[in-house]
Amino acid sequence: MSAQTEEAATRSAPRAGKGGAPPAPGTARRRDRAVPYLLILPAAVFTVLLLGWIMVQNGLLSFQNLNRRQLIRRVTEWTGFDNYSETLGNEEFWRVTLRSVVFTGVNVVLIMAIGCLIGLLLARLGATMRLLLSFGLVLAWAMPTVAATTVFQWLFAQRFGVVNHVLDQLGWHSMADYNWTSGQFSTFFVITVLIVWQSVPFVAINLYAATTTIPKELYEAASLDGAGVWKRFTSVTFPFLKPFFFATTFLEVIWIFKAFTQVFVINEGGPDRLTETLPVYAFVEGMNNQHFGMGAAISILTILILIGLTAYYLRLVLKQEEDEL
């Protein structure tokens, strides 16, 4: 037998397993399937230990009557579901919940609309202008939340704010000393502008990246068929962007609903607690009013409401995809 024949026979022969027996057919396949799970196992364990333990402690706290007296005496008073029943029976909780849902809906609609327009603009700009605009978007997105909120407090300040000064120079002299945090709607306006300004870059860059996956041949075919700008968008661009659009909307709903820093730092939920959302409401009840068990119960209910909203949204998305199929 020649050397080439022996080498070919060696390559074609199955590798011996334990005891010289060939390995089981599914062993290599199972090993390949397990590799991704083994890679994410350390991060998953760390996440469960870091966040799961906090969630467990918060859940246990929600079943206790814990205030300053219990802290000083170091006693634990279990009250069962009293905190939950008291919270659910409080009209203020439901007003704050409705306010949070409306606040989230308005912000998400504005963010997605403006972000989509800027994302489509990035796709049509030249390389230089696209780089400059992307750089500005990344700077706005990367700014720390507390720093950005402080800047907006200065911009909308009553006496020395830039916004009031500009409006006064434009002829709206009644706005020279306007207090933007004196009313519910004006305070929410400032918070909404801040949150939209912070969130639009993520949506714009994400959707611009999605446009780069659209084959140019489809646009050329649509142009040959006489399709206009709107027709090309509805028949070519939006079908490709739809998965990214739904995923980004899902993330924005979560981020806006749980927004705390912007709402609290601007006016601490004022005036008269009229701009409190559920995260701020839980913090005020738990920390400011020293009702720690009540605050924990409100935070758990906030998580459950958010899970319900996201589940409803995902159900709508899945149903729409099934209808299209």
Short mmCIF file of all heavy atoms in Angstrom, two decimals, residues 76-104:
data_model
loop_
_atom_site.label_atom_id
_atom_site.label_comp_id
_atom_site.label_asym_id
_atom_site.label_seq_id
_atom_site.Cartn_x
_atom_site.Cartn_y
_atom_site.Cartn_z
N THR A 76 -38.58 42.92 63.40
CA THR A 76 -39.22 42.66 62.12
C THR A 76 -40.70 42.39 62.35
O THR A 76 -41.05 41.46 63.10
CB THR A 76 -38.59 41.45 61.41
OG1 THR A 76 -37.19 41.71 61.21
CG2 THR A 76 -39.25 41.20 60.07
N GLU A 77 -41.55 43.21 61.76
CA GLU A 77 -42.99 43.06 61.88
C GLU A 77 -43.56 42.62 60.53
O GLU A 77 -43.66 43.42 59.60
CB GLU A 77 -43.63 44.37 62.34
CG GLU A 77 -43.22 44.82 63.72
CD GLU A 77 -43.94 46.09 64.16
OE1 GLU A 77 -44.85 46.53 63.41
OE2 GLU A 77 -43.58 46.65 65.21
N TRP A 78 -43.93 41.35 60.45
CA TRP A 78 -44.52 40.84 59.22
C TRP A 78 -46.00 41.21 59.18
O TRP A 78 -46.73 40.99 60.13
CB TRP A 78 -44.35 39.32 59.13
CG TRP A 78 -42.92 38.89 59.06
CD1 TRP A 78 -42.13 38.51 60.08
CD2 TRP A 78 -42.13 38.82 57.87
NE1 TRP A 78 -40.87 38.19 59.62
CE2 TRP A 78 -40.84 38.37 58.26
CE3 TRP A 78 -42.37 39.07 56.52
CZ2 TRP A 78 -39.81 38.18 57.35
CZ3 TRP A 78 -41.35 38.88 55.61
CH2 TRP A 78 -40.09 38.45 56.02
N THR A 79 -46.42 41.78 58.06
CA THR A 79 -47.81 42.23 57.92
C THR A 79 -48.54 41.53 56.78
O THR A 79 -49.67 41.93 56.45
CB THR A 79 -47.84 43.75 57.70
OG1 THR A 79 -47.09 44.07 56.52
CG2 THR A 79 -47.27 44.49 58.89
N GLY A 80 -47.92 40.56 56.16
CA GLY A 80 -48.58 39.86 55.06
C GLY A 80 -48.76 40.78 53.85
O GLY A 80 -47.84 41.48 53.43
N PHE A 81 -49.98 40.78 53.33
CA PHE A 81 -50.27 41.58 52.13
C PHE A 81 -50.87 42.94 52.48
O PHE A 81 -51.49 43.57 51.61
CB PHE A 81 -51.24 40.81 51.22
CG PHE A 81 -50.63 39.61 50.57
CD1 PHE A 81 -50.71 38.35 51.17
CD2 PHE A 81 -49.96 39.71 49.36
CE1 PHE A 81 -50.15 37.24 50.58
CE2 PHE A 81 -49.40 38.61 48.74
CZ PHE A 81 -49.48 37.37 49.35
N ASP A 82 -50.68 43.40 53.70
CA ASP A 82 -51.28 44.68 54.09
C ASP A 82 -50.74 45.84 53.26
O ASP A 82 -51.49 46.73 52.87
CB ASP A 82 -51.02 44.95 55.58
CG ASP A 82 -51.81 44.02 56.48
OD1 ASP A 82 -52.69 43.30 55.94
OD2 ASP A 82 -51.55 43.98 57.69
N ASN A 83 -49.44 45.85 52.99
CA ASN A 83 -48.87 46.92 52.18
C ASN A 83 -49.45 46.94 50.77
O ASN A 83 -49.73 48.01 50.22
CB ASN A 83 -47.35 46.78 52.11
CG ASN A 83 -46.67 47.07 53.43
OD1 ASN A 83 -47.15 47.90 54.21
ND2 ASN A 83 -45.56 46.40 53.71
N TYR A 84 -49.65 45.75 50.21
CA TYR A 84 -50.21 45.68 48.87
C TYR A 84 -51.67 46.10 48.85
O TYR A 84 -52.10 46.85 47.96
CB TYR A 84 -50.06 44.26 48.31
CG TYR A 84 -48.64 43.87 48.00
CD1 TYR A 84 -47.88 43.16 48.91
CD2 TYR A 84 -48.06 44.23 46.79
CE1 TYR A 84 -46.57 42.80 48.63
CE2 TYR A 84 -46.75 43.87 46.49
CZ TYR A 84 -46.01 43.16 47.42
OH TYR A 84 -44.72 42.82 47.13
N SER A 85 -52.45 45.63 49.82
CA SER A 85 -53.87 45.99 49.85
C SER A 85 -54.04 47.48 50.10
O SER A 85 -54.93 48.12 49.51
CB SER A 85 -54.59 45.18 50.93
OG SER A 85 -54.01 45.43 52.21
N GLU A 86 -53.21 48.04 50.96
CA GLU A 86 -53.31 49.48 51.22
C GLU A 86 -52.91 50.30 49.99
O GLU A 86 -53.54 51.32 49.67
CB GLU A 86 -52.41 49.86 52.40
CG GLU A 86 -52.51 51.32 52.79
CD GLU A 86 -51.67 51.64 54.02
OE1 GLU A 86 -51.18 50.69 54.66
OE2 GLU A 86 -51.51 52.85 54.32
N THR A 87 -51.89 49.83 49.28
CA THR A 87 -51.46 50.54 48.08
C THR A 87 -52.51 50.46 46.98
O THR A 87 -52.86 51.46 46.34
CB THR A 87 -50.13 49.97 47.56
OG1 THR A 87 -49.13 50.10 48.58
CG2 THR A 87 -49.67 50.69 46.31
N LEU A 88 -53.03 49.25 46.75
CA LEU A 88 -54.03 49.08 45.69
C LEU A 88 -55.34 49.77 46.03
O LEU A 88 -56.12 50.11 45.13
CB LEU A 88 -54.27 47.59 45.45
CG LEU A 88 -53.07 46.80 44.90
CD1 LEU A 88 -53.39 45.32 44.82
CD2 LEU A 88 -52.70 47.32 43.51
N GLY A 89 -55.62 49.98 47.29
CA GLY A 89 -56.83 50.69 47.68
C GLY A 89 -56.67 52.19 47.75
O GLY A 89 -57.64 52.91 48.05
N ASN A 90 -55.48 52.68 47.47
CA ASN A 90 -55.20 54.12 47.51
C ASN A 90 -55.43 54.74 46.13
O ASN A 90 -54.83 54.31 45.14
CB ASN A 90 -53.76 54.36 47.97
CG ASN A 90 -53.48 55.81 48.25
OD1 ASN A 90 -54.32 56.69 48.05
ND2 ASN A 90 -52.28 56.09 48.72
N GLU A 91 -56.30 55.73 46.05
CA GLU A 91 -56.58 56.38 44.77
C GLU A 91 -55.35 57.08 44.20
O GLU A 91 -55.19 57.17 42.98
CB GLU A 91 -57.72 57.40 44.92
CG GLU A 91 -59.06 56.77 45.26
CD GLU A 91 -60.17 57.81 45.34
OE1 GLU A 91 -59.85 59.01 45.13
OE2 GLU A 91 -61.32 57.42 45.62
N GLU A 92 -54.47 57.56 45.07
CA GLU A 92 -53.26 58.24 44.61
C GLU A 92 -52.37 57.30 43.80
O GLU A 92 -51.76 57.71 42.81
CB GLU A 92 -52.48 58.80 45.81
CG GLU A 92 -51.22 59.56 45.44
CD GLU A 92 -51.51 60.82 44.64
OE1 GLU A 92 -52.65 61.33 44.72
OE2 GLU A 92 -50.59 61.30 43.96
N PHE A 93 -52.32 56.03 44.20
CA PHE A 93 -51.51 55.07 43.46
C PHE A 93 -52.01 54.92 42.03
O PHE A 93 -51.21 54.88 41.08
CB PHE A 93 -51.53 53.72 44.17
CG PHE A 93 -50.92 52.60 43.37
CD1 PHE A 93 -49.54 52.46 43.29
CD2 PHE A 93 -51.73 51.68 42.71
CE1 PHE A 93 -48.98 51.43 42.55
CE2 PHE A 93 -51.17 50.64 41.98
CZ PHE A 93 -49.79 50.53 41.90
N TRP A 94 -53.31 54.85 41.85
CA TRP A 94 -53.87 54.68 40.51
C TRP A 94 -53.73 55.94 39.68
O TRP A 94 -53.54 55.88 38.47
CB TRP A 94 -55.32 54.24 40.60
CG TRP A 94 -55.47 52.89 41.23
CD1 TRP A 94 -55.95 52.60 42.46
CD2 TRP A 94 -55.07 51.64 40.65
NE1 TRP A 94 -55.89 51.25 42.70
CE2 TRP A 94 -55.37 50.63 41.60
CE3 TRP A 94 -54.50 51.27 39.44
CZ2 TRP A 94 -55.10 49.30 41.37
CZ3 TRP A 94 -54.23 49.93 39.19
CH2 TRP A 94 -54.54 48.96 40.16
N ARG A 95 -53.78 57.12 40.32
CA ARG A 95 -53.53 58.35 39.57
C ARG A 95 -52.09 58.41 39.09
O ARG A 95 -51.81 58.81 37.95
CB ARG A 95 -53.85 59.56 40.45
CG ARG A 95 -55.33 59.87 40.58
CD ARG A 95 -55.55 61.26 41.14
NE ARG A 95 -55.09 61.37 42.51
CZ ARG A 95 -55.86 61.18 43.58
NH1 ARG A 95 -57.15 60.87 43.43
NH2 ARG A 95 -55.37 61.30 44.80
N VAL A 96 -51.17 58.01 39.96
CA VAL A 96 -49.76 58.00 39.57
C VAL A 96 -49.53 56.96 38.47
O VAL A 96 -48.74 57.19 37.54
CB VAL A 96 -48.87 57.72 40.80
CG1 VAL A 96 -47.42 57.56 40.38
CG2 VAL A 96 -49.01 58.85 41.81
N THR A 97 -50.20 55.82 38.57
CA THR A 97 -50.05 54.78 37.54
C THR A 97 -50.53 55.28 36.19
O THR A 97 -49.84 55.11 35.16
CB THR A 97 -50.83 53.53 37.94
OG1 THR A 97 -50.35 53.03 39.20
CG2 THR A 97 -50.69 52.44 36.88
N LEU A 98 -51.71 55.90 36.15
CA LEU A 98 -52.21 56.45 34.89
C LEU A 98 -51.28 57.53 34.36
O LEU A 98 -50.99 57.59 33.15
CB LEU A 98 -53.62 57.02 35.11
CG LEU A 98 -54.27 57.69 33.89
CD1 LEU A 98 -54.42 56.70 32.75
CD2 LEU A 98 -55.62 58.30 34.27
N ARG A 99 -50.79 58.37 35.25
CA ARG A 99 -49.85 59.43 34.84
C ARG A 99 -48.58 58.82 34.26
O ARG A 99 -48.04 59.31 33.25
CB ARG A 99 -49.52 60.29 36.05
CG ARG A 99 -48.65 61.50 35.76
CD ARG A 99 -48.28 62.17 37.06
NE ARG A 99 -49.47 62.52 37.85
CZ ARG A 99 -49.51 62.53 39.17
NH1 ARG A 99 -48.43 62.21 39.86
NH2 ARG A 99 -50.62 62.85 39.81
N SER A 100 -48.10 57.74 34.87
CA SER A 100 -46.88 57.09 34.37
C SER A 100 -47.09 56.49 33.00
O SER A 100 -46.21 56.57 32.12
CB SER A 100 -46.42 56.01 35.36
OG SER A 100 -46.18 56.55 36.64
N VAL A 101 -48.25 55.87 32.78
CA VAL A 101 -48.54 55.25 31.47
C VAL A 101 -48.64 56.33 30.39
O VAL A 101 -48.07 56.18 29.30
CB VAL A 101 -49.82 54.41 31.56
CG1 VAL A 101 -50.24 53.93 30.17
CG2 VAL A 101 -49.63 53.23 32.50
N VAL A 102 -49.35 57.41 30.68
CA VAL A 102 -49.48 58.49 29.71
C VAL A 102 -48.12 59.13 29.43
O VAL A 102 -47.75 59.41 28.28
CB VAL A 102 -50.49 59.54 30.20
CG1 VAL A 102 -50.53 60.74 29.25
CG2 VAL A 102 -51.88 58.93 30.32
N PHE A 103 -47.37 59.37 30.49
CA PHE A 103 -46.03 59.95 30.36
C PHE A 103 -45.14 59.07 29.49
O PHE A 103 -44.42 59.56 28.60
CB PHE A 103 -45.43 60.13 31.75
CG PHE A 103 -43.99 60.57 31.76
CD1 PHE A 103 -43.65 61.87 31.46
CD2 PHE A 103 -42.99 59.67 32.09
CE1 PHE A 103 -42.32 62.27 31.49
CE2 PHE A 103 -41.67 60.06 32.12
CZ PHE A 103 -41.33 61.36 31.81
N THR A 104 -45.19 57.76 29.71
CA THR A 104 -44.39 56.83 28.91
C THR A 104 -44.84 56.84 27.46
O THR A 104 -44.00 56.87 26.54
CB THR A 104 -44.50 55.42 29.49
OG1 THR A 104 -44.04 55.41 30.84
CG2 THR A 104 -43.67 54.44 28.68
#
